[in-house]
Amino acid sequence: CSKRLVWDIWGLFALMIDLIWLPMQVFEPTQTLFVNLMTWSILLYWTGDILASFHTGFYTRDTVLVMTRRMIAINYIKTWFFLDLAIVSVDWLAILASFLSAADSASVARSAKLVRVTRIARLLRLMRLMKL
């Protein structure tokens, strides 16, 4: 069993959680320990997936497998890197905003708006994965 296969299986798990959990966030569920653990786990997975994508080969249009790290990095940056980075960055900003809002009650409204943007960005990630 390869490391990448295990990583992709975790990715399916993360994707299933996102597919189920994102629509439920409209109802603003209570933040329990389980919810917080899942949120952090999923965020860390998607962050790690950006790093893993720099080490994952790809096939060219001529069906040639490319495993050169430089070419992999160039291809990833030209294709999905900026979308992935934007989505994960918004998630991290939402986490940061939640920490800041705990210290500054005036920023709660701004945090709520950022969370809404995060949900939209995460839906973009799901749409990207559904294209694959």
Side-chain angles (χ1 to χ4, degrees):
C1 188
S2 74
K3 292 177 186 177
R4 184 62 197 193
L5 179 61
V6 172
W7 185 257
D8 288 341
I9 290 170
W10 276 107
L12 287 174
F13 179 68
L15 183 60
M16 287 189 311
I17 290 172
D18 275 346
L19 284 170
I20 294 167
W21 189 244
L22 286 175
M24 291 177 63
Q25 289 181 359
V26 171
F27 303 107
E28 298 180 10
T30 306
Q31 294 295 316
T32 64
L33 176 64
F34 176 75
V35 169
N36 290 333
L37 286 173
M38 292 309 303
T39 300
W40 276 101
S41 299
I42 300 305
L43 179 56
L44 291 173
Y45 173 81
W46 291 122
T47 302
D49 193 56
I50 290 174
L51 299 174
S53 294
F54 279 105
H55 303 282
T56 303
F58 67 95
Y59 285 97
T60 64
R61 291 183 182 169
D62 302 328
T63 65
V64 175
L65 178 61
V66 176
M67 294 299 291
T68 309
R69 291 205 182 184
R70 182 176 182 274
M71 296 304 296
I72 292 169
I74 290 169
N75 181 66
Y76 181 50
I77 289 170
K78 285 182 177 180
T79 55
W80 295 108
F81 174 72
F82 291 105
L83 178 62
D84 289 346
L85 184 64
I87 293 168
V88 171
S89 295
V90 170
D91 286 346
W92 280 107
L93 286 173
I95 296 287
L96 179 63
S98 70
F99 283 128
L100 294 177
S101 68
D104 177 19
S105 61
S107 65
V108 171
R110 284 179 273 153
S111 297
K113 289 179 185 177
L114 186 58
V115 169
R116 284 187 213 112
V117 170
T118 301
R119 292 175 188 153
I120 292 167
R122 290 175 77 191
L123 286 173
L124 286 173
R125 177 192 316 139
L126 294 176
M127 289 173 38
R128 174 200 160 213
L129 290 174
M130 289 171 32
K131 286 183 181 178
L132 300 177

